[in-house]
Amino acid sequence: MREQLRELVRQALECCYADNSLTPGEIPPYVVEVPSQDGHGDFASNVAMTLARSQKRSPRAVAQALVANLPQGTGILHRVEIAGPGFINFFLQDAAWQVTLSEIEIQGADYGKSNAGEGKKVQVEFVSANPTGPLHIGHGRGAAIGDTLCRLLAATGWDVTREFYYNDAGAQIANLALSVQARCLGIQADDPRWPANGYQGEYIRDVARAYLAGETVEADDRQVTAARDTDDLDAIREFSVASLRREQDQDLTAFDVRFDVYSLESELYSSGRVDRAVKRMVEKNHTYEQDNALWLRTTDFGDDKDRVMRKADGSYTYFVPDVAYHLDKWERGFVRVVNEQGADHHSTVTRVRAGLQALDAGVPLGWPEYVLHQMVTVMRGGEEVKISKRAGSYVTLRDLIDEVGRDATRFFFVMRRPDSQLVFDIDLAKQQTLDNPVYYVQYAHARIKSIFANAAEKGFTPPRFRDAAVARLETPEELALIRLLAAFPETVAGAAAFFEPHRITGYLQELAGLFHGFYNKNRVITEDAALTGARLFLLACVATTLKNGVGMLGISAPESM
RNA sequence: GCGCCCGUAGCUCAGCUGGAUAGAGCAACGGCCUUCUAAGCCGUAGGUCAUAGGUUCGAGUCCUAUCGGGCGUACCA
């Protein structure tokens, strides 16, 4: 609907240029939007104000010319007015909205989808936790945002690959192996023989026990049987990594998050990709030697100082394999790559992009894209739940899922802009009342289903569009609902384009709110069969949209609650 | 010190990439209800958009500076 109006405005503008009622020129950037204020029409455009300057005429005069040239007989416009400083307000015929309801029926589970991606390949890397412990709250937010982004991108026509990257070989993993080995040998954390900076969590004991018992563990991307030999550090490492990867997989599965591809940092080295990338940067003259180290001139690409690539001891700094990894992503054909990470990794953004430019491989500026989420604070009983990884006791993702449920956890994690810090109120998330936004949204869906069940007992079923007297839908609540239903596809498109899942939770809360308001004010099942049918049809459209919306968040739409 | 993010109602947050009188939920206050889903519904009040400048027809939104919070800022990942 919005697009149709944009098109009408464009046609009017070209007519004005053609008959010289406006001085011919460019088509300026302009918007057609839903006004925030009731009484300003169904849609409004600022086009006249953006043209006023170049036309050297007042915005209202420009608007006059445009309105005079609006195409006639489209059957959707009721009236048009010029208001305020020069807005053009469009009032649509009620019948124009009926198209929306027809569309929802036709598209069903696909309503809300669009095709901006045109089937092009996008990769989303998220979570990417190293296998040194259970997933914590921060990973949970990343998992929820990343997975939702994948669903949104898929819904807007992208061919999405979900990828998980981790390190199974570095210093932290060696530390993990030593910690498990110590537990195997019965060494306690307060023992002088305990490894420096060893992992003290209870889960380390579990891994050690399983290793000694000769268990076999199977993760999504690897399977290992314990060698039971406490001297074989390599075997302990392999087993520990597999064990913790399996733990993470179980948590992610409980969260309904899955990956298509797992990538290992160690493979970047063993395959020679790291060396190849370094060699190429050297050949392209973006590096220099100084103080026994190899430096990348990242200042050529917007960094505030150059960065060391290869240390005096011959090993690479952390961003080098990251550059090699992203070159690999590029060579795999992803025209877009999105990295979802905690904001504490933001320093890598400039370096990885600089490294890719230094490779001169045709990678566009600003590739890859990043979504960095801020910290999560967990509140219970009005107090902050302290997270202490060192002590080995902290709120894990699994704890949260077990306590408040998958749906509520996911909803809360994506409810805020990734950019802003998030307060996770456990008490609110658990509440079975309408104060809880998840409950509020899901209950709207369940309530509609309940009404359908009630209607069925009285012999009513929701009709097909062609049999529904949709013209009978004329109360303010009904019209507001239809208008909001019509805005769902563009809301999804915006959320996907700007990587902002919270637009979906906001939309769903608003839609649920309008529905509950409608419900409280109007009876659905009445003696008036035609009106009852029309309302049942409307509610079927609301239910479809709610279900599609929560589906994009990976959340269920219960039939009853 | 430098970089990135944030600062909007008492609290938690929106504000659709510069538009009209800045919104929602909770809490507060006032009323109604016992009717398809259940303590629910309606209404009222609440603001110098951190501060000060700037850009322009128009700024919560863009620019500069300052203040406050978070995260980075190692030849750690």
Side-chain angles (χ1 to χ4, degrees), chain A residues 478-493:
Chain A
E478 288 159 347
L479 296 176
L481 267 173
I482 298 171
R483 272 196 286 266
L484 190 58
L485 290 174
F488 183 57
E490 67 199 47
T491 302
V492 173

Side-chain angles (χ1 to χ4, degrees), chain A residues 268 271-283 316 324 327-328 331 359:
Chain A
L268 295 172
S271 65
R273 285 199 178 84
V274 174
D275 288 334
R276 269 209 304 280
V278 171
K279 194 176 163 205
R280 186 154 173 177
M281 285 186 266
V282 172
E283 283 169 1
Y316 293 111
L327 177 62
D328 177 56
E331 287 171 345
L359 290 168

Side-chain angles (χ1 to χ4, degrees), chain A residues 200-335:
Chain A
Q200 299 181 20
E202 181 64 28
Y203 61 92
I204 297 292
R205 288 180 211 261
D206 297 338
V207 174
R209 235 183 327 264
Y211 181 77
L212 293 173
E215 288 183 13
T216 297
V217 294
E218 192 170 350
D220 277 1
D221 66 321
R222 55 175 68 214
Q223 179 180 334
V224 174
T225 299
R228 305 178 68 178
D229 180 353
T230 56
D231 292 330
D232 189 344
L233 206 52
D234 284 343
I236 293 175
R237 190 186 66 234
E238 289 294 313
F239 183 78
S240 302
V241 167
S243 295
L244 291 170
R245 281 263 48 262
R246 181 186 59 172
E247 288 296 313
Q248 294 180 352
D249 285 341
Q250 288 171 347
D251 293 351
L252 290 166
T253 299
F255 211 36
D256 199 16
V257 171
R258 286 165 225 291
F259 291 90
D260 302 309
V261 177
Y262 293 85
S263 285
L264 295 177
E265 183 179 336
S266 60
E267 278 179 8
L268 295 172
Y269 286 100
S270 61
S271 65
R273 285 199 178 84
V274 174
D275 288 334
R276 269 209 304 280
V278 171
K279 194 176 163 205
R280 186 154 173 177
M281 285 186 266
V282 172
E283 283 169 1
K284 298 290 180 182
N285 282 320
H286 292 295
T287 65
Y288 58 91
E289 300 259 359
Q290 184 182 310
D291 303 331
N292 284 326
L294 180 67
W295 296 67
L296 178 65
R297 205 175 287 109
T298 52
T299 48
D300 288 353
F301 309 103
D303 206 350
D304 53 354
K305 58 181 176 185
D306 292 338
R307 305 291 169 176
V308 169
M309 298 170 63
R310 192 174 56 222
K311 303 180 239 180
D313 67 5
S315 64
Y316 293 111
T317 55
Y318 67 89
F319 85 93
V320 175
D322 226 3
V323 171
Y325 177 40
H326 282 85
L327 177 62
D328 177 56
K329 291 185 183 181
W330 177 251
E331 287 171 345
R332 276 190 275 158
F334 293 110
V335 296

Side-chain angles (χ1 to χ4, degrees), chain A residues 42-69:
Chain A
D42 296 303
F43 291 94
S45 179
N46 65 346
V47 61
M49 287 172 322
T50 63
L51 272 170
R53 170 171 288 257
S54 62
Q55 292 289 330
K56 298 189 172 68
R57 297 170 65 180
S58 77
R60 295 188 71 106
V62 175
Q64 294 282 1
L66 281 166
V67 170
N69 276 295

Side-chain angles (χ1 to χ4, degrees), chain A residues 385-405:
Chain A
V385 179
K386 289 292 180 190
I387 297 172
S388 163
K389 189 170 184 177
R390 199 166 298 265
S393 70
Y394 58 109
V395 182
T396 62
L397 173 59
R398 175 49 74 98
D399 290 340
L400 252 198
I401 298 172
D402 288 347
E403 183 165 359
V404 308

